Structures are given as structure tokens and as C-alpha cells.
Amino acid sequence: MKKIFLVLILGYAYTAQAQYGYGDSQSRRQNQMMQTEQKAPEPNFDVERYIGIVNYDIEKAAKKSSIKLTSKEGQEFSRVLTKYNKDIKDITRINTFVLRSTKDMVENYQKTVMKTGDNSSQKKVMTTMSENLKPISEILKKEDRELDKTIKALLSEKQYKKWIKYNRKIYKVFPKEEE
């Protein structure tokens, strides 16, 4: 009976040690992790994503839309996206200064807010940003409407739905036709 008691006590002690770690070392490790101060990430404002600039990977877009690039429809799809990508690159290149200055302005604002905690000038920054980017966004809306109209005429209804689903995943939204 004494031997059974001894085995049970040793079994419980062994289980308790296995479950709760080796004494104090685990709690020390947790304290060290809590004491290390984490630095906030640097602001990184993606202007292109904000206004909807997307350069398509033609093969991936065709695959996601269930289009075979070797078919006549696929070749036309490829031609349309190639033209669109070229036009978007030209628009981006022409407006590089505006895009870069807007990005710098927003990032500087975010840095000052992180340092001081004062975000009273947020409305001013947002209005300035929208004024700077409005002409570019208007041109992009026009290009997007043309692309959407062409793609809609080119693809079947099922393929067009997949195309729209793919665009939502890459954060691209086509503007609605204005009546």
C-alpha cells in the first residue's frame, strides 16, 4: 500500500512539473518578452492602392477569369489588358510628382501624429490629398469604364463574374455608369 501511495505521489509530481514548466524559467521568459518595447511600424501610405491604380498580370487575370490565352477570345483579352496597363503606366509616370508629394505629405502627417498624438490637422490633410488626387482619379475612372465596357462585351456572363471577383480581391472597383 505504501508503494502504491509513493508511485501515485511521484506520478502527480511528475505530471505537475510537465504541465507547469521547469520552475521559474518560463515566467522569467514571459517577463522578458513583456519588457522589450516594440517599436511602432513606419507609416507606409500606398497612394496607388488608395486611388485604384492596378497593373494586371495578364496570365493570372486570364486564369482567374477562366480564359484560355491561346483562344481568339484570350488573345483579345490579352490585347485589351496590355493596352490598359500601358495607359495606366503612362498616367502614373506623368503624375509621379503629385503621387510622390501626396504620399510624403500623408506619411509626414502620420509620423507627427505618432510622436505628438495630436491629429487636429487631419481634415486639412485629407482635403489637400483629395484635391491633389481628384484629377488623376477622374482620368482613372474614365479608363476603368472603358476597360469594364470592353471586358463585359468580350467575356461571357460567368467569366465576367469571375473577372469582377478577381478585381475585388486586388482591391479594384469599377465605377458605375453614370446615367
Side-chain angles (χ1 to χ4, degrees):
M1 189 71 175
K2 289 182 182 179
K3 290 182 182 179
I4 294 174
F5 235 10
L6 184 62
V7 169
L8 285 174
I9 291 174
L10 287 174
Y12 286 132
Y14 180 74
T15 306
Q17 183 179 9
Q19 286 181 357
Y20 299 114
Y22 297 103
D24 211 28
S25 65
Q26 190 175 20
S27 62
R28 267 189 270 132
R29 190 174 26 217
Q30 285 178 346
N31 285 339
Q32 286 176 347
M33 290 174 68
M34 292 171 69
Q35 288 177 355
T36 56
E37 200 172 301
Q38 291 183 349
K39 189 176 180 184
E42 287 291 317
N44 185 15
F45 181 67
D46 193 1
V47 180
E48 288 83 7
R49 185 170 168 186
Y50 178 77
I51 61 175
I53 295 177
V54 173
N55 282 314
Y56 289 101
D57 179 4
I58 297 169
E59 292 176 7
K60 187 174 182 180
K63 183 180 177 185
K64 294 285 186 178
S65 301
S66 302
I67 300 169
K68 294 185 178 172
L69 289 175
T70 55
S71 68
K72 184 180 177 187
E73 180 185 59
Q75 290 174 350
E76 182 66 21
F77 181 79
S78 176
R79 187 189 63 75
V80 168
L81 284 186
T82 304
K83 182 185 178 307
Y84 177 81
N85 283 344
K86 183 184 176 299
D87 292 344
I88 294 300
K89 283 181 184 176
D90 288 343
I91 292 168
T92 306
R93 182 180 46 80
I94 290 168
N95 296 299
T96 301
F97 177 74
V98 175
L99 294 172
R100 191 176 300 136
S101 65
T102 304
K103 178 181 172 84
D104 291 344
M105 177 187 66
V106 171
E107 286 179 355
N108 288 336
Y109 165 73
Q110 289 174 344
K111 285 178 185 175
T112 56
V113 167
M114 286 170 54
K115 286 180 184 174
T116 63
D118 178 31
N119 63 349
S120 60
S121 62
Q122 180 179 6
K123 188 172 184 176
K124 179 183 168 194
V125 170
M126 293 298 287
T127 54
T128 307
M129 181 178 70
S130 64
E131 288 172 3
N132 289 348
L133 298 177
K134 188 169 182 158
I136 301 170
S137 66
E138 293 298 322
I139 295 169
L140 288 173
K141 281 181 185 177
K142 182 180 158 213
E143 290 289 331
D144 289 344
R145 279 192 205 104
E146 289 178 20
L147 176 68
D148 188 45
K149 198 183 310 179
T150 308
I151 293 291
K152 196 171 192 174
L154 183 66
L155 303 179
S156 68
E157 188 174 331
K158 187 176 182 181
Q159 289 173 329
Y160 182 71
K161 284 182 180 178
K162 288 182 179 182
W163 165 253
I164 294 297
K165 184 178 178 183
Y166 169 66
N167 279 291
R168 282 192 194 121
K169 282 187 179 177
I170 58 173
Y171 304 104
K172 179 70 173 177
V173 178
F174 291 106
K176 299 288 183 204
E177 280 296 321
E178 296 170 5
E179 298 174 10

